[in-house]
Amino acid sequence: MSLSYLLTNNLARVAGVSQAVAVSVDGMLLAWTGGLDREAAERLAAVASGMSSLLRGAAQNFGAGGVRGNLTDLDGGYLLLTTVSTGACLLTLVHSDADLAFVTAELVRFAEQVGDHLTPAFATGLAGVGQR
């Protein structure tokens, strides 16, 4: 079973979630939801990696500890970044009418369940067997 399958199935039941990607600490795309093609998922992974890195640097500069997440308010919804203990992250596009507290709780729950697998080594193993 692929990590993309798990991501898609877990987030499909969360009202308001449109798309999501899972990205390792080094910026490698690990998984993406069903409505994205590989090229779009790679672009979102780059966004997630950049956001995560900038936020970690800012938090470190201010002595504010680690980054747990970020909410970016867009005209058409929200980008919700959720970090994982391994340094990986999930970047999710959420509709503007979504219950952000519920979506956030579900993303954290998913991250806790699969967080140990969101590593570059796991991605390398998946690439070797042709899954993600």
Side-chain angles (χ1 to χ4, degrees), residues 12-125:
R13 63 180 186 72
V14 181
V17 170
S18 175
Q19 304 297 335
V21 293
V23 182
S24 70
V25 67
D26 64 352
M28 182 177 281
L29 176 64
L30 299 174
W32 59 93
T33 52
L36 293 171
D37 62 25
R38 174 73 186 223
E39 186 177 318
E42 290 285 358
R43 285 193 308 271
L44 285 176
V47 169
S49 179
M51 285 176 67
S52 182
S53 178
L54 288 169
L55 291 168
R56 273 195 317 269
Q60 196 172 44
N61 190 48
F62 288 115
V67 175
R68 292 188 301 232
N70 176 263
L71 176 67
T72 303
D73 191 1
L74 308 171
D75 286 338
Y78 303 96
L79 277 179
L80 186 55
L81 182 82
T82 306
T83 59
V84 180
S85 61
T86 60
C89 64
L90 301 171
L91 181 66
T92 309
L93 179 60
V94 181
H95 297 286
S96 58
D97 60 350
D99 179 346
L100 290 176
F102 177 71
V103 171
T104 301
E106 289 299 305
L107 290 171
V108 168
R109 185 186 63 74
F110 180 75
E112 288 172 352
Q113 287 178 340
V114 301
D116 292 343
H117 299 290
L118 300 180
T119 65
F122 184 75
T124 302

